[in-house]
Amino acid sequence: MSGPLLAVREARKRFPVRGTRRWVHAVDGVNFTIEAGECLGLVGESGCGKSTLVRLVARLLEPTAGQILLDGQEIGSVPVTEFARGPLRAAIQMVFQDPADSLNPRFTAFDTIADPLARLGGVKDRRTQAERVAAVADLVRLPDELLGRLPHQLSGGQQQRVGIARAIALSPKLLILDEPTSALDVSVQAVILHLLVELRERLGMTYLFVSHDLNLVRLISDRVLVMYSGVIVESGPAGEVFTHPYHPYTRALISAIPVADPGGRRERIRLIGEPQSPVDPRPTVCRFYGRCPERFDRCLREMPALRAMGTSHEVACHRYEGGSR
Amino acid sequence: MTGEAGALLVVEDLSIEFRTREGIVRALERASFTVGQAETVGVVGESGSGKTITAHAVMGVLHPAGRVTGGSVRFRGADLLALGEEERRGYCGREMAIAFQNARAALNPIRPVGRQIEDVLLRHTDLGRSAARDRALELFARVQIPDPPRLHGAYPFELSGGMCQRVMIALAVAGSPALLIADEPATGLDVATQCAVLELIEELAHENRMAMLLISHDLGLVGERADRVVVMHAGHVVEIAPSAELFAAPRHPYTARLLATTPHPDSRLADLRPIPGSVPDLREALPPCRYRYRCERAAPECDEPPLPRVEITPGHFVACRRPL
């Protein structure tokens, strides 16, 4: 297959503000691609639109505008309800943030994993189902004796294994991981991260990994997108974005990562002011203007577009006109 | 882990049980630590380690299902657990205050945030109504809330998570307490906001010579901000040491594994080693060392009670028979 597995073009999503004629611009003209077999990280603070963006890609939300192409096929225009029943539902699956909230409390682990097999995979025969569930449970290392348990009888790590098993039961092409470890303790987080890396290698899946923690994204992703207030402000290879960030927001994010080692504490970049409201933002102002320590008058007149900085690194900031610092 | 003379807060052998339908949870067992004047002490551990209930017990706001079964909490020498309700309340706000985790949920949802600050000021200071309002606006400005007069009348649901956190901190420091307990003050915030909130607390503590108990599951965060760190596991204090020493040379096997599983900016995924097993069920009969079944260094001697508390170097305490 030539071309990327997923291509998102000028995706937009607006939500009406109740009782007004105003709109929240949650995702505002986002472009990106994911190659087959790649792990793309998506980083941004809460409220930046990253969850909306992945719900558009997962076809859980209708985009206001733009295209979403899976293997070259436009899926963004397929209505959400139709997509949920169509053959492509199995190709894009999602692991949610809080496993306790995203598992049906009345479904045993077995039922949860068997559900997509029956609904989307046509596996209705009980014996085949049991075999398939056992195989998937084995992949995520969920012990057989836990399959009969309800979510509240499982630990957080075990719950998330069930969530992952459900998502990979039909071998999706694209697996979207929305903060899959943020509700877990660090020791469990490490286990889940190792499991995800192993599954990707074994099953040849493609990941879109979402997190507010750039340090975590760096560990697992090949490339990273940094999102701020509905737009992508920087993208590039994970290691490079981490070691040589350009955008003031990316730099602030990295400088704010806590470092226990007293000698390793780096200079902090302080963000000023408050984020701008995502409600009808002025189209000519950089979205980061309100908090940017390096803003200047041009940032008020013109919204910066993504520009190439070297081969695969891009940044949307007027400070980097002409490809240099 | 024993009280040093002159410490502001001395928690000694504190044990807490919770009665639940599934049995008695021994949530805290003989926990001891101190907080000195103007000192920042971090408390770290996984969920269920007893961090929050320790804080609640110190503040006297333990959940009704919880019961202190032993030990003492002394503040400036006075045993808080022996005081009556009214006397106890005299300590809250002025002497010690807590910034609860999940600020949006902890704030009163149907009272404007400015009024909530005024309520605290009216109770704990001699200020009158209009002076309290002025002071509330000053506090808002101090915690870097933009446009204090406008946000004074805002309700918590109208504010971002970071703003709610700032209101919570303003509430906690309104009575100029000598000790601030900050329970996961930055959890749920993005790193940039988290950093700003912590720096703010640090500045306030420094300005007012305020001591702080900084509770977090994030080792990196605590190590960076605290003078000393208390490490908890399954209701036990397992190690106490000055921050730099704890990170350079942890002596309890649990602390070492917790460090090895926490990502830092230079680690690779392969470096992150999960801790074997999980936190034990505190309703069941447990060995003297509650880390025993997760520990690689465990030996038969670990089953001999009691759990030791060794001062391995001055100021560095370890609850382990086979420390690193």
Side-chain angles (χ1 to χ4, degrees):
Chain A
M1 178 80 49
S2 62
L5 176 72
L6 183 88
V8 172
R9 292 185 189 148
E10 287 299 318
R12 285 174 206 279
K13 179 67 186 177
R14 289 172 195 172
F15 296 101
V17 180
R18 209 171 57 161
T20 68
R21 288 166 177 239
R22 289 148 50 96
W23 296 85
V24 172
H25 294 230
V27 173
D28 207 10
V30 165
N31 293 286
F32 69 91
T33 59
I34 310 180
E35 300 298 325
E38 186 181 37
C39 178
L40 180 69
L42 175 62
V43 194
E45 63 194 13
S46 51
C48 76
K50 60 187 192 302
S51 288
T52 303
L53 178 59
V54 297
R55 277 165 178 74
L56 294 178
V57 172
R59 300 303 294 113
L60 299 173
L61 269 181
E62 301 289 6
T64 308
Q67 286 184 307
I68 299 163
L69 296 103
L70 184 71
D71 271 339
Q73 185 184 346
E74 159 69 358
I75 58 167
S77 54
V78 182
V80 164
T81 46
E82 197 178 305
F83 189 87
R85 281 181 251 112
L88 285 170
R89 175 69 284 164
I92 304 178
Q93 286 288 310
M94 190 150 164
V95 175
F96 297 91
Q97 181 167 4
D98 188 340
D101 277 352
S102 57
L103 297 177
N104 186 328
R106 293 173 186 274
F107 273 26
T108 62
F110 182 94
D111 297 337
T112 299
I113 303 169
D115 197 46
L117 289 171
R119 283 171 188 273
L120 301 168
V123 184
K124 310 255 186 202
D125 165 54
R126 281 306 273 185
R127 187 182 297 169
T128 323
Q129 241 181 38
E131 279 167 16
R132 293 280 296 270
V133 170
V136 178
D138 189 47
L139 273 177
V140 300
R141 292 207 209 84
L142 187 71
D144 280 349
E145 62 267 25
L146 299 184
L147 284 174
R149 293 205 189 171
L150 294 167
H152 77 272
Q153 298 167 315
L154 299 169
S155 71
Q158 290 163 348
Q159 288 172 351
Q160 197 54 299
R161 285 175 202 264
V162 175
I164 294 170
R166 168 178 64 185
I168 66 168
L170 289 165
S171 312
K173 289 179 180 169
L174 177 64
L175 185 64
I176 299 173
L177 301 142
D178 188 5
E179 307 249 14
T181 64
S182 68
L184 307 174
D185 276 315
V186 277
S187 63
V188 184
Q189 166 174 291
V191 178
I192 296 292
L193 289 178
H194 284 295
L195 175 68
L196 289 171
V197 168
E198 183 198 313
L199 286 174
R200 183 174 149 224
E201 275 168 18
R202 281 178 71 170
L203 304 178
M205 282 184 292
T206 304
Y207 284 176
L208 177 56
F209 185 93
V210 183
S211 178
H212 65 277
D213 185 344
L214 188 49
N215 198 23
L216 205 60
V217 165
R218 173 187 66 90
L219 288 170
I220 191 164
S221 309
D222 305 309
R223 271 193 314 131
V224 179
L225 303 177
V226 182
M227 192 166 179
Y228 187 84
S229 188
V231 297
I232 303 295
V233 296
E234 183 155 4
S235 75
E240 202 182 305
V241 170
F242 201 78
T243 49
H244 299 290
Y246 288 106
H247 199 282
Y249 177 63
T250 318
R251 283 191 281 132
L253 275 186
I254 292 170
S255 80
I257 295 169
V259 186
D261 173 14
R265 194 163 172 168
R266 30 188 116 187
E267 200 178 323
R268 290 273 145 85
I269 298 166
R270 279 184 178 229
L271 296 184
I272 56 172
E274 265 291 283
Q276 268 158 278
S277 166
V279 178
D280 292 334
R282 282 188 292 170
T284 56
V285 178
C286 174
R287 291 292 164 85
F288 192 53
Y289 185 81
R291 292 174 86 189
C292 185
E294 295 178 35
R295 62 190 181 186
F296 60 111
D297 50 355
R298 187 174 169 194
C299 311
L300 261 181
R301 292 197 310 268
E302 188 186 340
M303 174 125 126
L306 278 170
R307 281 189 201 92
M309 305 289 294
T311 48
S312 51
H313 200 153
E314 287 185 306
V315 63
C317 179
H318 291 312
R319 287 272 167 204
Y320 303 110
E321 194 87 329
S324 66
R325 267 174 213 240
Chain B
M1 295 187 198
T2 45
E4 40 185 276
L8 186 65
L9 177 76
V10 180
V11 173
E12 201 168 354
D13 286 335
L14 186 65
S15 298
I16 294 171
E17 289 180 356
F18 276 80
R19 289 176 187 281
T20 70
R21 264 180 291 178
E22 288 87 24
I24 290 175
V25 178
R26 276 160 303 162
L28 198 67
E29 190 175 67
R30 304 195 65 189
S32 301
F33 63 90
T34 62
V35 181
Q37 304 273 359
E39 186 187 30
T40 296
V41 174
V43 180
V44 291
E46 292 172 87
S47 42
S49 61
K51 309 182 292 285
T52 294
I53 61 154
T54 303
H56 288 183
V58 168
M59 278 305 292
V61 294
L62 201 58
H63 188 276
R67 196 166 62 92
V68 174
T69 54
S72 63
V73 176
R74 294 197 299 280
F75 188 83
R76 295 196 206 277
D79 186 351
L80 296 184
L81 300 181
L83 296 179
E85 179 72 20
E86 265 312 299
E87 282 178 297
R88 176 81 189 241
R89 287 204 162 206
Y91 281 87
C92 296
R94 266 187 234 231
E95 289 284 32
M96 55 169 82
I98 183 165
F100 290 101
Q101 56 178 302
N102 193 356
R104 198 196 302 270
L107 292 170
N108 184 339
I110 55 167
R111 196 158 172 79
V113 292
R115 296 294 292 277
Q116 298 189 41
I117 304 267
E118 288 170 28
D119 293 343
V120 173
L121 290 167
L122 290 172
R123 181 173 174 96
H124 294 300
T125 66
D126 303 326
L127 298 177
R129 287 222 164 264
S130 74
R133 185 185 157 86
D134 293 345
R135 179 79 184 121
L137 294 176
E138 264 172 53
L139 280 165
F140 274 178
R142 186 64 200 84
V143 296
Q144 292 155 29
I145 287 176
D147 197 358
R150 189 171 67 82
L151 290 188
H152 183 275
Y155 290 91
F157 76 88
E158 297 176 287
L159 303 177
S160 68
M163 281 301 126
C164 284
Q165 208 70 51
R166 286 168 205 264
V167 171
M168 190 80 222
I169 291 163
L171 265 179
V173 301
S176 308
L179 172 69
L180 172 69
I181 302 176
D183 188 5
E184 303 273 6
T187 303
L189 306 177
D190 62 284
V191 278
T193 313
Q194 173 180 316
C195 184
V197 164
L198 287 165
E199 260 164 30
L200 172 68
I201 300 180
E202 225 169 37
E203 279 172 26
L204 290 169
H206 190 70
E207 276 170 25
N208 304 323
R209 279 190 49 77
M210 182 172 72
M212 185 155 58
L213 198 58
L214 177 62
I215 300 173
S216 175
H217 65 280
D218 188 336
L219 259 178
L221 183 152
V222 162
E224 188 178 88
R225 312 262 169 195
D227 302 311
R228 288 189 302 130
V229 178
V230 175
V231 183
M232 297 189 69
H233 174 264
H236 280 168
V237 169
V238 297
E239 186 162 8
I240 300 179
S243 297
E245 194 174 320
L246 187 89
F247 287 89
R251 305 298 292 268
H252 195 284
Y254 175 67
T255 312
R257 290 306 297 257
L258 196 58
L259 278 168
T261 198
T262 304
H264 57 88
D266 305 314
S267 53
R268 291 164 305 151
L269 190 60
D271 299 334
L272 302 185
R273 295 189 309 140
I275 304 176
S278 52
V279 178
D281 187 337
L282 303 185
R283 292 168 302 198
E284 285 165 12
L286 295 165
C289 170
R290 293 179 173 184
Y291 186 60
R292 189 203 183 305
Y293 297 118
R294 305 177 79 179
C295 185
E296 298 153 310
R297 296 174 62 79
E301 65 202 81
C302 300
D303 290 324
E304 288 166 30
L307 181 69
R309 296 174 189 179
V310 188
E311 186 165 11
I312 210 157
T313 55
H316 192 156
F317 299 87
V318 185
C320 181
R321 288 195 188 274
R322 293 168 54 78
L324 295 162

